[in-house]
């Protein structure tokens, strides 16, 4: 201890002051220790970066830190202008270790900081681990304010971006939670964004790619999480010129026993007199990845289309017949190509 106290003034004057933070962590200096305040002073006086707190955090024995210690530490980091991303990274380490779940006050601090950061006009999606922390916080189903903020942040990304978000497990999982537990909170703004047209059409397109059916892995589309199809059907009825085709582009259209899915059949029943709805369902059904001969795939689609040949709407029956003829055409072409290869 005497040696550390003697060299501390020299460390403060060193060119790389992050060494002070590393030493503080290695020596397990907790927030009630007067020496702890030196770290805050170094950042405050711009002699060190806020990120240096990570040197302290990754070296201290976190098991000795109480809830009060953690609140003090994270609050100190958050007090700096650039402290939010650092604090979020530190809190995420705690949650990954399953310690943060036992500290409700830390949850409140994390939630409030996420909301304040978003309200300052900055994107939460640009902050590493922000979605991971949001996922943990939202799982309880009781954080409606945070749910609204996270939904708004994700929608804003799609509104403002010219490029698709790409595959992100954390963001996908967050939205599955939102659909399951906070549908009433997010649906008003989500449903409006899905109606985007004209210059804002790409907002819908990005959302379709994000929420809709994945033709590659076949997992349940995010839009179908929580079984809210009845509410979506009402939305379609309120916006019959655009909502039905938008919903048709995102749902799974193939059901069990070589039938259309219940959702696709419902859209056909209500909106089967609209060509663009039928065409969208057909487009999804006819989009597939094949291994080997494509003939079995088209044969299966013929059987699915055959299931609606007795539909009460003439337009639907005629559409089914056309699709079956198209399948026959593709089957014949495929057989011809296969014979030529032989």
């Amino acid at each position: 201890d005497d040696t550390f106290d003697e060299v501390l003034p020299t460390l403060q004057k060193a060119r790389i002051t992050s060494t002070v933070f590393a030493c503080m962590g290695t020596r397990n200096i907790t927030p009630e220790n007067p020496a702890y305040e030196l770290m805050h002073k170094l950042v405050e006086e711009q002699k060190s970066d806020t990120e240096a707190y990570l040197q302290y955090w990754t070296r201290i024995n976190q098991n000795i830190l109480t809830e009060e210690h953690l609140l003090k530490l994270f609050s100190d980091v958050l007090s700096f202008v650039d402290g939010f991303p650092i604090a979020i990274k530190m809190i995420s380490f705690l949650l990954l270790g399953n310690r943060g779940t036992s500290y409700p006050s830390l949850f409140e601090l994390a939630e409030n900081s996420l909301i304040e950061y978003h309200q300052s006009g900055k994107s939460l999606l640009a902050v590493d681990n922000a979605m991971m922390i949001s996922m943990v916080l939202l799982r309880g189903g009781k954080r409606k304010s945070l749910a609204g903020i996270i939904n708004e942040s994700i929608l804003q990304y799609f509104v403002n971006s010219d490029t698709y978000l790409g595959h992100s497990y954390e963001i996908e999982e967050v939205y599955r939670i939102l659909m399951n537990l906070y549908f009433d909170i997010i649906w008003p703004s989500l449903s409006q964004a899905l109606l985007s047209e004209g210059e804002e059409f790409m907002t819908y397109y990005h959302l379709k790619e994000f929420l809709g059916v994945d033709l590659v892995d076949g997992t349940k589309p995010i839009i179908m999480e929580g079984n809210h199809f009845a509410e979506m059907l009402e939305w379609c009825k309120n916006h019959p010129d655009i909502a039905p085709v938008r919903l048709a582009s995102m749902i799974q259209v193939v059901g069990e026993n070589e039938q259309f899915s219940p959702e696709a059949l419902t859209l056909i029943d209500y909106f089967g007199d609209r060509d663009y709805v039928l065409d969208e369902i057909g487009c999804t059904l006819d989009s597939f990845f094949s291994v080997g001969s494509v003939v079995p795939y088209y044969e299966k689609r013929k059987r699915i289309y055959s299931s609606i040949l007795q539909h009460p709407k003439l337009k639907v029956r005629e559409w089914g017949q056309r699709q079956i003829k198209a399948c026959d055409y593709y089957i014949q072409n495929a057989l011809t190509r296969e014979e030529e290869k032989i």
Side-chain angles (χ1 to χ4, degrees):
D1 289 342
D2 291 342
T3 302
F4 179 69
D5 291 339
E6 289 177 8
V7 301
L8 192 55
T10 303
L11 290 175
Q12 295 178 56
K13 298 176 182 179
R15 184 173 61 85
I16 304 177
T17 55
S18 59
T19 305
V20 173
F21 293 76
C23 289
M24 292 283 188
T26 302
R27 294 185 58 77
N28 291 322
I29 301 296
T30 53
E32 81 272 6
N33 189 315
Y36 167 88
E37 294 300 331
L38 176 59
M39 294 188 295
H40 192 279
K41 183 179 179 182
L42 286 172
V43 178
E44 192 173 47
E45 295 178 351
Q46 298 183 349
K47 295 179 180 178
S48 187
D49 297 328
T50 313
E51 194 170 1
Y53 270 99
L54 291 173
Q55 299 293 332
Y56 170 79
W57 180 243
T58 55
R59 285 168 173 79
I60 193 170
N61 178 7
Q62 295 177 14
N63 291 323
I64 70 172
L65 296 174
T66 65
E67 186 171 3
E68 290 72 22
H69 289 155
L70 293 168
L71 281 174
K72 167 66 174 170
L73 171 60
F74 296 144
S75 296
D76 284 348
V77 176
L78 286 167
S79 69
F80 297 110
V81 175
D82 59 345
F84 176 78
I86 309 304
I88 288 298
K89 185 174 292 187
M90 294 166 70
I91 294 173
S92 71
F93 292 161
L94 194 68
L95 293 177
L96 286 173
N98 294 320
R99 288 195 63 219
T101 54
S102 60
Y103 299 142
S105 59
L106 286 183
F107 272 25
E108 298 305 319
L109 177 66
E111 179 180 13
N112 291 336
S113 64
L114 288 164
I115 292 174
E116 290 173 7
Y117 191 79
H118 173 79
Q119 291 175 338
S120 71
K122 301 173 183 177
S123 173
L124 289 171
L125 273 66
V127 179
D128 290 343
N129 300 316
M131 288 298 106
M132 187 274 281
I133 291 177
S134 300
M135 183 167 53
V136 174
L137 293 174
L138 291 168
R139 279 176 180 157
K142 298 179 180 179
R143 300 184 184 273
K144 295 182 178 181
S145 296
L146 180 62
I149 289 297
I150 297 301
N151 180 58
E152 186 177 317
S153 182
I154 293 174
L155 292 183
Q156 280 184 358
Y157 176 87
F158 289 124
V159 169
N160 298 327
S161 178
D162 292 329
T163 57
Y164 174 51
L165 183 65
H167 181 81
S168 169
Y169 166 78
E170 290 175 353
I171 296 175
E172 289 181 3
E173 287 304 302
V174 163
Y175 223 86
R176 290 186 188 277
I177 293 171
L178 292 176
M179 290 293 296
N180 274 291
L181 303 179
Y182 302 94
F183 182 79
D184 292 342
I185 301 297
I186 70 170
W187 181 240
S189 56
L190 173 59
S191 60
Q192 191 61 38
L194 287 171
L195 296 175
S196 300
E197 297 183 271
E199 295 180 355
E200 298 177 352
F201 172 80
M202 291 305 294
T203 298
Y204 151 71
Y205 180 79
H206 292 321
L207 283 170
K208 177 179 78 75
E209 294 295 299
F210 176 61
L211 300 172
V213 64
D214 189 327
L215 297 175
V216 178
D217 62 24
T219 56
K220 184 177 183 179
I222 297 173
I223 194 69
M224 299 309 298
E225 290 286 351
N227 300 317
H228 300 293
F229 187 77
E231 292 93 330
M232 296 177 190
L233 184 60
E234 289 303 311
W235 171 64
C236 290
K237 293 176 183 178
N238 292 332
H239 305 277
D241 292 333
I242 186 169
V245 69
R246 296 287 170 88
L247 185 57
S249 71
M250 295 185 287
I251 62 171
Q252 290 173 319
V253 299
V254 179
E256 297 179 352
N257 302 318
E258 298 184 338
Q259 303 278 324
F260 282 100
S261 69
E263 295 80 14
L265 279 174
T266 300
L267 289 179
I268 290 172
D269 289 342
Y270 278 94
F271 306 103
D273 53 347
R274 298 170 183 268
D275 289 333
Y276 53 83
V277 175
L278 296 177
D279 290 343
E280 190 63 50
I281 292 174
C283 181
T284 301
L285 179 58
D286 295 336
S287 300
F288 58 87
F289 292 90
S290 65
V291 178
S293 174
V294 298
V295 172
Y297 296 88
Y298 282 116
E299 291 285 4
K300 179 179 179 180
R301 273 144 188 77
K302 276 184 61 178
R303 292 190 288 272
I304 294 173
Y305 284 120
S306 296
S307 68
I308 58 169
L309 292 181
Q310 304 302 317
H311 195 276
K313 289 184 177 180
L314 176 61
K315 184 179 282 291
V316 173
R317 296 198 301 272
E318 292 177 340
W319 172 69
Q321 291 168 350
R322 290 195 304 273
Q323 296 301 98
I324 290 173
K325 288 181 180 179
C327 287
D328 285 334
Y329 172 80
Y330 291 127
I331 289 171
Q332 187 58 49
N333 274 358
L335 290 173
T336 301
R337 288 196 301 270
E338 290 173 10
E339 289 177 0
E340 290 174 350
K341 290 181 180 179
I342 294 174

